[in-house]
Amino acid sequence: MRPKERRDSGQADLLRSRLDAIIDMNHALVKLSRTIDWSFLAERFGAVYEDKPGRPPLPTRLMAGLAILKHTYDLSDEVLCERWVENPYYQFFCGEEFFQHRLVFDRSSLTRWRQRMGEEKLQALLQESLSVATKTKAIKPSDLNRVIVDTTVQPKNVMFPTDARLLNRAREILVRLAKGACIKLRQSYGRIGKFALIKHQRYAHAKQFKRANRALRTLRTYLGRVIRDIGRKLEGNVDLLHQIALDRMLILARRVLDQKQHQRGPKVYSLHAPEVECIGKGKAHRPYELMAWTTPAPSGNVESGGATAGA
């Protein structure tokens, strides 16, 4: 059943005063409620419901208004419900004609409404907010032609190019992808690979570097065996989706396997963010920084800046 939308009846009550008679009609929320196209939101959100018997849903203006208030003032569901009962401007914004002393909805209705609408339908709120901002001249239409993204700090979980954890992580990801593609490996090295990583960390902590390098070579051997085993069994044995994921990961794993400490050219510092690069900044306190560059959108309407990535 579709929601029964509210309409301003204009009728008075003998025992109660109308909200528009006791509040300031020049308030920001009152002006905003008059600017928003509630019929557009009702049409977009109403398409989710089906004409079936049952209890009618809550009005779209009530739920959409609550969602706008929640994100505008950065409130939790509990605080939003408390302020809605106390604030007549909140109630007028959500379509009430008379002041309500109790909630006309349940708090859990907010969560269920968001889940029912989904992200795609909630984009209508963003679309309507941009429309209102344009009508009120808060922004110009020319400001929407280009989006400039410039970030200065973006933490990344990066590792040293020859780190033992990077080798072990590459092997674990390959084994997991192979299992998802139903590829039976000769050996996954899950248990002994973990022990080899622990050995390397303990030897390095104790400054026993010969033994640590021996454990590092063992991890490198395990990764190379898994790469070759998957490469032999990959062609024509899995579907296209799994093959694309495995091919991409095999390329990264081979780069991790072959890269050296002092080699020139790009290195892999993180498997989940292979775009991270190391550049020299010339700073005395930090000679090198890791930068992740965002790829521009295909339409060419997005300009992006670099983001510093820290270990």
Side-chain angles (χ1 to χ4, degrees), residues 153-187:
V153 177
Q154 181 179 356
K156 291 285 186 180
N157 183 19
V158 296
M159 307 177 191
F160 197 74
T162 56
D163 197 331
R165 294 178 301 161
L166 194 61
L167 294 168
N168 188 67
R169 182 62 179 160
R171 180 193 56 78
E172 289 177 345
I173 295 177
L174 282 175
V175 170
R176 186 177 70 246
L177 291 176
K179 184 178 180 181
C182 298
I183 296 178
K184 187 176 181 180
L185 301 177
R186 295 196 313 174
Q187 190 172 353

Side-chain angles (χ1 to χ4, degrees), residues 249-290:
M249 191 59 213
L250 283 173
I251 294 174
L252 289 177
R254 290 191 181 102
R255 288 178 59 187
V256 171
L257 184 65
D258 297 335
Q259 63 189 8
K260 306 297 181 183
Q261 181 176 358
H262 298 291
Q263 76 175 32
R264 287 191 169 274
K267 302 184 183 73
V268 178
Y269 298 91
S270 176
L271 293 171
H272 70 277
E275 69 276 3
V276 175
E277 299 179 4
C278 181
I279 64 173
K281 299 290 287 186
K283 300 178 182 178
H285 65 286
R286 184 177 295 176
Y288 300 100
E289 286 188 1
L290 301 174

Side-chain angles (χ1 to χ4, degrees), residues 6-155:
R6 291 178 174 175
R7 299 291 185 267
D8 189 359
S9 62
Q11 297 179 356
D13 192 318
L14 182 62
L15 302 177
R16 295 183 300 173
S17 298
R18 290 177 55 88
L19 284 175
D20 53 10
I22 61 176
I23 63 176
D24 182 10
M25 300 306 291
N26 292 322
H27 192 273
L29 285 179
V30 177
K31 293 181 178 179
L32 181 61
S33 66
R34 292 175 175 175
T35 309
I36 294 177
D37 188 358
W38 298 106
S39 60
F40 166 76
L41 296 178
E43 180 181 356
R44 293 294 300 272
F45 294 142
V48 178
Y49 301 99
E50 299 178 356
D51 291 329
K52 293 183 178 180
R55 182 179 179 181
L58 292 171
T60 300
R61 176 166 180 177
L62 173 63
M63 304 309 296
L66 289 170
I68 294 174
L69 292 173
K70 172 182 173 65
H71 293 287
T72 301
Y73 297 101
D74 193 17
L75 304 175
S76 64
D77 290 350
E78 293 81 0
V79 177
L80 176 63
C81 294
E82 293 175 0
R83 294 194 182 181
W84 192 90
V85 176
E86 300 170 352
N87 197 325
Y89 293 98
Y90 279 23
Q91 297 187 14
F92 183 86
F93 184 78
C94 294
E96 296 291 338
E97 295 185 68
F98 301 95
F99 186 78
Q100 303 292 337
H101 297 274
R102 297 181 180 84
L103 283 176
V104 297
F105 59 92
D106 190 77
R107 184 182 62 82
S108 59
S109 301
L110 297 171
T111 303
R112 290 196 297 269
W113 186 80
R114 288 192 295 264
Q115 293 174 350
R116 173 176 289 182
M117 295 303 156
E119 294 185 4
E120 295 182 0
K121 293 297 181 183
L122 291 179
Q123 290 296 326
L125 288 177
L126 176 60
Q127 183 178 350
E128 181 60 22
S129 63
L130 294 176
S131 175
V132 170
T134 306
K135 292 178 183 178
T136 56
K137 297 182 179 180
I139 60 175
K140 300 178 181 179
S142 58
D143 296 336
L144 304 177
N145 294 335
R146 178 176 296 176
V147 179
I148 300 177
V149 181
D150 185 10
T151 57
T152 55
V153 177
Q154 181 179 356

